[in-house]
Amino acid sequence: MNNRPIGIFDSGVGGLTVVKQMFKRLPHESIVYLGDTARVPYGTKSPETIKRFSIENADFLMKFNVKLIVVACNTASSTSMEELIKHVRVPVVGVIKPGAKKAVSVTRNNRIGIIGTHTTIKSRAYEREIKSLSRDIDVVSKPCPLFVPLVEEGWLLEKATFAIAEKYLASFRRKSIDTLVLGCTHYPLLKHVIARVMGRKVKIIDSASSVADEVNTILMSMGELSGGEGKPRHRFFATDAVEHFVRVGEKFLGTKIQRAERASYV
Ligand code: DGL
């Protein structure tokens, strides 16, 4: 048993979709969440810059004596895992592997679509991971950058959102994929729009829930799940604009954020 917290970081509020799944799957675990709101978005930045940010974020979380770090950001997971694993002494879980694994187990026609930020798609991290699990799978990828501001603006059901989704996703329909991975923290909030545009035959994979399963498996195998005595204690940090983080973040988390603190290392 290990009652130390789990550290989770993202470029901003989006990673709270992962925290939401962690709360469901691992209700006894304490969580320290860090949103790097001062430097968001990561999705348009270079891998070198994101690597540097990721190391700084991990260093901040390590100060809380975390037992494991979750890289909730797809862009950071697709560029910085090697550096992070070398840098910290605790297990590091990214979102790419669990999402890829789930997609491979779900596809029937071996045609998988991936959507994410520019940097995530350019890194081809999902593609590499999927191909390492099964060489016979065709992967079709597309960046959908406008989905991020739409979600932050709360435009989840607007006509414009459907129109943008239609435009982005049309090429997937032509390629007859049967599985689509939501490779960005923000996209689970548009799941209903994306599912409607893609049609009922396409399964939508939200890597957030696969990540929570992966964390559970790792902690269980190490005998490091929390003992469950007492209430878990969660802390939320943002590197800037804490009030905005709370306001938007509650939509991602689906519950109230009682208190968020400013992380001042940036
Ligand atoms: N968190 C990022 C991701 O999952 C999306 C927002 C950003 O570009 O920073 O890729």
Side-chain angles (χ1 to χ4, degrees):
M1 298 295 169
N2 184 339
N3 290 335
R4 281 155 58 202
I6 294 172
I8 304 185
F9 80 81
D10 176 48
S11 55
V13 285
L16 292 167
T17 51
V18 174
V19 176
K20 184 176 177 184
Q21 296 303 325
M22 297 281 288
F23 281 174
K24 271 197 207 157
R25 187 82 182 83
L26 296 154
H28 302 301
E29 299 295 334
S30 296
I31 286 171
V32 179
Y33 180 88
L34 169 67
D36 190 5
T37 45
R39 303 186 288 195
V40 71
Y42 283 12
T44 48
K45 296 196 169 75
S46 70
E48 290 64 39
T49 299
I50 299 162
K51 280 175 196 167
R52 181 161 53 83
F53 292 172
S54 296
I55 295 287
E56 289 172 6
N57 297 341
D59 283 343
F60 176 81
L61 290 173
M62 288 308 291
K63 291 197 187 121
F64 297 87
N65 197 20
V66 295
K67 60 182 170 186
L68 179 147
I69 290 179
V70 177
V71 185
C73 178
N74 285 258
T75 308
S77 295
S78 66
T79 51
S80 314
M81 286 302 286
E82 254 180 56
E83 286 72 15
L84 284 166
I85 290 167
K86 269 192 230 148
H87 188 73
V88 296
R89 297 172 317 279
V90 295
V92 183
V93 178
V95 285
I96 309 287
K97 246 189 207 172
K101 230 198 255 174
K102 179 93 176 279
V104 169
S105 73
V106 159
T107 183
R108 291 287 160 262
N109 74 356
N110 283 353
R111 298 178 81 83
I112 297 176
I114 311 287
I115 52 177
T117 64
H118 277 299
T119 303
T120 297
I121 298 302
K122 205 165 158 212
S123 77
R124 307 181 80 144
Y126 272 107
E127 196 170 334
R128 269 199 307 280
E129 204 55 52
I130 288 171
K131 294 273 187 200
S132 79
L133 296 168
S134 169
R135 284 161 143 246
D136 305 329
I137 294 181
D138 283 333
V139 180
V140 196
S141 310
K142 181 150 191 138
C144 300
L146 290 176
F147 282 167
V148 170
L150 283 173
V151 168
E152 299 224 344
E153 201 56 35
W155 285 27
L156 306 184
L157 286 168
E158 313 291 313
K159 262 196 188 150
T161 309
F162 277 97
I164 290 167
E166 281 282 355
K167 177 135 180 124
Y168 276 147
L169 303 174
S171 60
F172 286 122
R173 280 210 301 253
R174 286 196 295 276
K175 299 241 164 72
S176 55
I177 57 157
D178 73 346
T179 307
L180 180 67
V181 179
L182 306 183
C184 175
T185 46
H186 288 56
Y187 300 178
L189 277 95
L190 294 177
K191 200 169 179 175
H192 50 285
V193 176
I194 295 167
R196 175 110 72 88
V197 170
M198 292 309 299
R200 265 187 295 150
K201 286 193 190 133
V202 175
K203 284 158 225 103
I204 310 289
I205 307 296
D206 160 358
S207 40
S209 51
S210 319
V211 171
D213 288 340
E214 178 91 357
V215 171
N216 183 48
T217 307
I218 292 175
L219 291 179
M220 199 148 65
S221 73
M222 294 174 32
E224 296 218 335
L225 282 167
S226 150
E229 316 84 33
K231 257 182 115 186
R233 184 155 181 258
H234 308 305
R235 291 181 78 173
F236 297 92
F237 290 89
T239 50
D240 196 12
V242 176
E243 274 169 33
H244 183 255
F245 169 84
V246 170
R247 196 159 11 91
V248 181
E250 286 177 345
K251 285 189 220 150
F252 285 76
L253 194 59
T255 56
K256 270 219 129 5
I257 297 174
Q258 298 300 348
R259 191 168 110 87
E261 300 160 69
R262 164 103 160 81
S264 50
Y265 65 95
V266 171

